């Protein structure tokens, strides 16, 4: 379907989620960590960094990568690439764990039509667990 590119990349997904937050309510999207798209949001990010005393960890991700490739946890501003496109999010220091391991949930959905909207959701899903605690 046209436009699926808009949710398939981390940078595009964030921009669309940000628009939804503005349109509806940030409260409806409180499950999303504080996120910036760099370098385009550098000034806003830098202002937040300076105001919060930069005592927290951040996670940087390439916008179009998968399987953890290129992901780094940083705590110094000079660790942030200035010329590459990246997504930077506040690192969750106390994530929800199952048996001490991080995880993600996948559900499989088939959208056969957008107008009218017709969605089929597969009964089974997938849980992926981190290989180390």
């Amino acid at each position: 379907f046209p436009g699926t590119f808009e949710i398939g990349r981390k940078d595009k997904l964030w921009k669309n989620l940000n628009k939804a937050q503005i349109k509806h309510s940030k409260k409806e999207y409180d499950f999303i960590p504080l996120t910036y798209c760099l370098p385009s949001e550098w000034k806003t990010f830098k202002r937040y960094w300076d105001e919060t005393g930069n005592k927290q960890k951040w996670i940087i991700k390439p916008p179009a990568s998968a399987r953890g490739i290129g992901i780094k946890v940083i705590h110094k501003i000079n660790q942030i690439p200035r010329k590459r496109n990246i997504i930077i999010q506040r690192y969750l220091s106390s994530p929800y764990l199952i048996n001490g391991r991080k995880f993600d949930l996948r559900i499989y959905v088939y959208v056969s039509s957008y107008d009218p909207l017709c969605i089929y959701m597969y009964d089974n899903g997938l849980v992926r667990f981190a290989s180390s605690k």
Side-chain angles (χ1 to χ4, degrees):
F1 286 106
T4 55
F5 179 75
E6 292 293 320
I7 61 171
R9 285 177 50 116
K10 292 173 192 75
D11 55 348
K12 300 288 187 183
L13 177 62
W14 165 245
K15 286 179 182 179
N16 285 301
L17 286 170
N18 194 32
K19 285 179 192 175
Q21 283 181 334
I22 292 165
K23 183 177 180 180
H24 300 289
S25 164
K26 285 195 176 202
K27 191 171 106 178
E28 300 295 328
Y29 295 87
D30 65 350
F31 59 91
I32 302 168
L34 185 59
T35 303
Y36 296 94
C37 232
L38 302 182
S40 63
E41 296 179 315
W42 175 259
K43 287 181 184 177
T44 308
F45 167 73
K46 179 72 166 70
R47 189 176 324 114
Y48 182 84
W49 179 283
D50 292 342
E51 288 171 2
T52 58
N54 59 51
K55 299 287 185 216
Q56 49 200 325
K57 291 182 182 177
W58 294 81
I59 187 164
I60 58 174
K61 306 172 183 183
S65 193
R67 302 182 323 270
I69 295 169
I71 293 177
K72 295 179 187 172
V73 177
I74 60 113
H75 63 279
K76 295 178 183 172
I77 203 157
N78 65 356
Q79 295 173 299
I80 301 171
R82 292 296 302 270
K83 296 185 180 181
R84 279 193 353 240
N85 289 334
I86 61 163
I87 297 298
I88 187 163
Q89 294 179 312
R90 188 169 37 202
Y91 185 75
L92 300 177
S93 58
S94 299
Y96 185 73
L97 305 174
I98 296 177
N99 293 330
R101 295 179 189 272
K102 289 184 178 182
F103 66 95
D104 68 24
L105 303 172
R106 304 278 170 118
I107 58 169
Y108 297 97
V109 176
Y110 172 62
V111 179
S112 61
S113 171
Y114 284 106
D115 191 13
L117 183 60
C118 185
I119 300 171
Y120 298 92
M121 190 165 70
Y122 190 61
D123 290 337
N124 296 322
L126 175 71
V127 179
R128 297 186 316 165
F129 289 94
S131 56
S132 59
K133 290 187 177 185

